[in-house]
Amino acid sequence: MQAYIDEAEKALLHTYNRYQVVFDKGEGVYLYDMDGKRYLDFVSGIAVFALGYQNKEYNDALKTQIDKIIHTSNYYYNLPAIEAAKKLKEISGMDRVFFTNSGAEAIEGAIKTARKYAYLKDGATDHEIIAMNHSFHGRTMGALSVTGNPHYREAFEPMIGHIKFADLNDFDSVASQVTDKTCAILFETVQGEGGIYPATEEFMRSVRALCDERDILMILDEIQCGMGRTGSMYAWQKFGVKPDVMTTAKALGCGVPVGAFLMTEKVGAHSLVAGDHGTTYGGNPLACAAICKVIELFEKEDVLSNVNKTGAYLASRLDELAAEFACIRQRRGVGLLQGLVFDRPVGDIIKRAMDKGLVLINAGTDIIRFVPPLIIKEEHVDEMTAILRTCIRETEGEQQ
Ligand SMILES: *Cc1c(COP(=O)(O)O)cnc(C)c1O
């Protein structure tokens, strides 16, 4: 394995501090490295592989599609895209779909939609977007421009401009920055990367009312918190408010790179038209066959019930750990998107967990993020907490 890692370090650009492991295959909620060592996976490729590895129906659907056609062009129709758009409308309650290749591209599309919507009203080209501190929306220039982490942006300035930052769940910080130029208010329903901060119902409702009053688009980024992770198909669906535009990706294709931005009929009718936006791959038959099967399997395997049940169990077991260890400040999150906030960097704990066959990931330096496949069971939660407890104890021992 080490030889391959050395090869990788010679060829790949060093944009990640990678863990010293080469994963070779997956099965259910377990990963295997090249030496055959087994790992319990509480990351699922960062909230992607919701259905677990080697779901037979999912794999078969992709193989069947590969043998028919993998790619055409968006200048033609294809059946998987038609079916995927219909299913996505059903699960989201939105009206119009544009398929992308990634989450960041879905954000780009949402930004362009908001700017065009505002442009059509007054012909101006200086509209503003309010985004949130601690947000994460992706690494392309537009997505980076609305990402509330100055550290990610600095070397790449200038950003796209006319972006303001407010605080999630602090409605006044949003309202006080709204002007006649504001075209959109954008946030993650549950902030992922930035530290697992869920939006409150009050904040959601207040922003919705403000957007209605001023004809501003409410854009929700559901790339990480969507697709069932919080116990509803999309996290905003719990709140009795609906966005004007939303983004989805990560678990949408369960491993096949695909995303989408969706909008209401009203926004669709007053924003992007032919010639305004496009993509070569977005919504190709292979990607859309994946979406169709994913949505079908979510229903068939009753994934949401499992998230609600196992998510509550995970939260209670993490609460036990938080009570047990002084170094854990807080547990927060919804469903199977949980975080444990430590009073110190968590890198050492995560490395130890890897050694013991448990894959975990951080969110920021001090938070361990739990984003397992959505099919995990209580026994897996128990297996995870047992290993994690040992790792925390070991690091505590070293502190003394
Ligand atoms: C991962 C993520 C993105 C970016 O998606 P990519 O597919 O990596 O471009 C955007 N927003 C949120 C909330 C994410 O978690």
Side-chain angles (χ1 to χ4, degrees):
M1 198 155 71
Q2 192 55 48
Y4 285 100
I5 292 172
D6 294 344
E7 279 297 310
E9 287 304 314
K10 281 184 214 145
L12 293 170
L13 193 66
H14 291 205
T15 49
Y16 288 92
N17 289 318
R18 291 184 166 86
Y19 293 96
Q20 297 300 294
V21 63
V22 183
F23 285 127
D24 189 39
K25 64 170 189 177
E27 212 178 276
V29 298
Y30 293 94
L31 285 165
Y32 294 83
D33 70 16
M34 294 191 64
D35 300 337
K37 180 177 162 186
R38 190 174 91 149
Y39 300 75
L40 175 61
D41 181 12
F42 260 68
V43 177
S44 55
I46 313 196
V48 169
F49 239 106
L51 297 168
Y53 304 97
Q54 308 302 340
N55 180 298
K56 188 170 182 325
E57 272 193 60
Y58 171 84
N59 284 7
D60 286 347
L62 291 188
K63 288 172 193 167
T64 305
Q65 188 59 46
I66 285 170
D67 287 337
K68 271 175 130 177
I69 187 166
I70 292 175
H71 181 77
T72 58
S73 155
N74 279 310
Y75 282 107
Y76 318 106
Y77 299 98
N78 74 74
L79 286 182
I82 296 167
E83 184 65 19
K86 196 175 118 202
K87 282 181 185 293
L88 203 44
K89 282 178 57 174
E90 277 163 18
I91 60 167
S92 69
M94 305 299 285
D95 302 314
R96 297 272 162 187
V97 183
F98 184 103
F99 291 113
T100 66
N101 309 290
S102 66
E105 285 169 273
I107 293 291
E108 298 291 331
I111 292 172
K112 282 179 74 175
T113 300
R115 284 191 167 178
K116 182 76 192 288
Y117 181 86
Y119 171 82
L120 287 177
K121 282 193 291 182
D122 64 7
T125 54
D126 57 352
H127 296 109
E128 299 165 352
I129 294 172
I130 299 177
M132 302 298 142
N133 292 313
H134 304 296
S135 63
F136 181 82
H137 299 292
R139 301 295 197 148
T140 55
M141 288 306 295
L144 203 53
S145 300
V146 289
T147 288
N149 182 337
H151 173 70
Y152 287 173
R153 294 197 308 261
E154 187 178 294
F156 309 101
E157 299 278 353
M159 295 286 114
I160 64 169
H162 302 277
I163 310 293
K164 294 170 165 178
F165 289 96
D167 289 319
L168 187 77
N169 294 335
D170 177 352
F171 178 67
D172 289 340
S173 76
V174 176
S176 65
Q177 298 195 72
V178 167
T179 71
D180 289 345
K181 296 290 181 190
T182 309
C183 69
I185 299 172
L186 160 69
F187 57 98
E188 298 152 85
T189 317
V190 182
Q191 288 187 336
E193 270 326 290
I196 323 292
Y197 291 101
T200 62
E201 175 158 359
E202 192 193 345
F203 183 75
M204 294 282 284
R205 287 180 183 277
S206 305
V207 170
R208 181 67 270 173
L210 176 66
C211 288
D212 286 340
E213 189 189 318
R214 306 282 298 249
D215 197 20
I216 294 167
L217 299 187
M218 178 176 180
I219 305 176
L220 292 179
D221 181 348
E222 290 263 345
I223 290 168
Q224 186 159 165
C225 62
M227 289 305 290
R229 186 146 294 276
T230 67
S232 50
M233 238 14 231
Y234 288 102
W236 59 263
Q237 289 168 331
K238 287 199 180 87
F239 295 102
V241 299
K242 187 176 164 180
D244 302 294
V245 179
M246 62 163 272
T247 58
T248 179
K250 288 202 163 86
L252 178 63
C254 275
V256 172
V258 67
F261 60 99
L262 293 84
M263 59 194 78
T264 60
E265 194 63 46
K266 181 183 167 203
V267 177
H270 298 96
S271 59
L272 304 177
V273 295
D276 276 343
H277 199 54
T279 162
T280 298
Y281 288 132
N284 88 8
L286 181 64
C288 286
I291 298 176
C292 290
K293 190 47 87 174
V294 166
I295 294 175
E296 189 190 315
L297 288 172
F298 261 70
E299 280 155 20
K300 194 169 150 195
E301 298 185 2
D302 204 3
V303 168
L304 294 184
S305 307
N306 189 58
V307 173
N308 285 309
K309 185 166 164 278
T310 316
Y313 186 72
L314 172 63
S316 73
R317 298 307 307 267
L318 294 178
D319 282 338
E320 280 170 30
L321 284 177
E324 189 176 329
F325 293 102
C327 61
I328 301 176
R329 289 220 167 105
Q330 194 192 2
R331 189 272 313 166
R332 60 176 178 245
V334 198
L336 289 175
L337 177 54
Q338 297 285 340
L340 269 187
V341 188
F342 285 73
D343 66 0
R344 64 188 70 152
V346 294
D348 185 33
I349 297 173
I350 291 175
K351 279 213 187 73
R352 283 169 194 269
M354 280 293 262
D355 290 342
K356 295 182 187 359
L358 167 65
V359 187
L360 292 172
I361 197 154
N362 59 307
T365 44
D366 300 344
I367 301 169
I368 297 180
R369 171 172 29 164
F370 302 86
V371 280
L374 302 184
I375 56 160
I376 58 151
K377 300 284 174 228
E378 294 181 358
E379 73 212 53
H380 303 123
V381 173
D382 290 339
E383 188 184 340
M384 182 279 290
T385 46
I387 299 173
L388 180 57
R389 177 176 280 110
T390 310
C391 296
I392 301 172
R393 273 200 192 125
E394 284 175 9
T395 56
E396 293 253 290
E398 280 178 12
Q399 296 273 323
Q400 284 148 16

